[in-house]
Amino acid sequence: MDIELYRGYFNSLEAGRYPEWRYNEWKPCGVNYNSVLCAMSYDIHHRRFRDYRKESEEVMALLDLNANQSVIDIGCGTGAFVIHAAERCRKVYAVDVSKAMLRCARRKAKKAKLNNIEFHHGGFLTYEHRANPVDAIVSTAVLHHLPDFWKFAGLKRLAQICKAGGKLYLFDVVFSFDMNDYESRLNQWVNATGEKVGPTFAEEAKTHLREEYSTFDWIMEGLLERAGFEIETAHYANEFMASYVCTRKG
Ligand SMILES: C[S@@+](CC[C@H](N)C(=O)[O-])C[C@H]1O[C@@H](n2cnc3c(N)ncnc32)[C@H](O)[C@@H]1O
């Protein structure tokens, strides 16, 4: 057992801050982002099919982010979004449960001489936002690390730290195909992932299906609405991934 991995969790239990039944988001499920190797190779793999600057610009445009505003990136990983957001916004809170991923993001921020990013070791269920509520929250490819009930709990916590009228951008694995057809559709997804972005990601897709918690469009929409967000746009690019722009209800 990796003691380091559980230290934060047990420390918080000891401090009596959380009930013992709360989901342990510190313990990785599926892909192990706590691994230094995984963190260090993340950008190499992802930059083969992602343009971090372009996608960050798109997200910032969708959220209408400007120089006076603050934004939280939950599950910021190696900083794909936060580095670009910090060039544009007043303040960025970069939050992740993986110290290894945070270390990579911090290194990039230092190199880019960005001093308006606050890094926090925490997650959907544990991050304590001590500043004023933010104008926007972003989360890209993270929420599938929580089972559905805990997705709701995490989203509800986000709604509490987002200004009324503030925005949420959420991108994740969300299935919008006919669920009666799941076997053939999931096989297609794994194969198409292998063809488009290579064998490493085909393996990740299999790991995702076995060990992580993707959900259905109708569940995700219900969770967002019930947690306090109004869905402005829901975009189902293919039948496997989805992005939502939401407004925090007043
Ligand atoms: C696929 S990576 C995405 C990273 C980044 N958002 C991006 O777009 O490149 C998933 C990230 O979510 C983090 N993570 C997993 N569970 C989390 C949780 N409950 N709260 C916050 N971050 C979490 C992992 O440590 C990892 O950095």
Side-chain angles (χ1 to χ4, degrees), residues 196-246:
K196 279 190 201 141
V197 286
T200 307
F201 286 94
E203 285 311 309
E204 264 196 28
K206 288 184 218 165
T207 303
H208 170 79
L209 293 172
R210 263 194 325 265
E211 299 169 31
E212 300 174 351
Y213 308 99
S214 39
T215 194
F216 280 103
D217 50 354
W218 46 275
I219 295 178
M220 186 60 95
E221 290 180 12
L223 294 176
L224 284 164
E225 293 281 354
R226 283 168 175 77
F229 292 100
E230 191 173 325
I231 300 171
E232 303 293 341
T233 59
H235 184 57
Y236 298 100
N238 49 37
E239 295 178 313
F240 305 100
M241 310 299 292
S243 60
Y244 303 90
V245 177
C246 308

Side-chain angles (χ1 to χ4, degrees), residues 9 32 69 197 246:
Y9 180 61
N32 180 6
Q69 293 186 319
V197 286
C246 308

Side-chain angles (χ1 to χ4, degrees), residues 1 77-78 118 150 163 190 222:
M1 184 169 80
T78 59
E118 253 183 46
W150 294 103
K163 279 182 187 164
V190 171

Side-chain angles (χ1 to χ4, degrees), residues 25 33 42 50 75-77 80 96-98 101 123-124 140-142 145:
E25 67 178 350
Y33 292 104
Y42 186 87
R50 290 175 67 183
C76 65
D96 203 288
V97 292
S98 159
M101 296 294 267
F124 281 99
T140 303
V142 187
H145 289 277

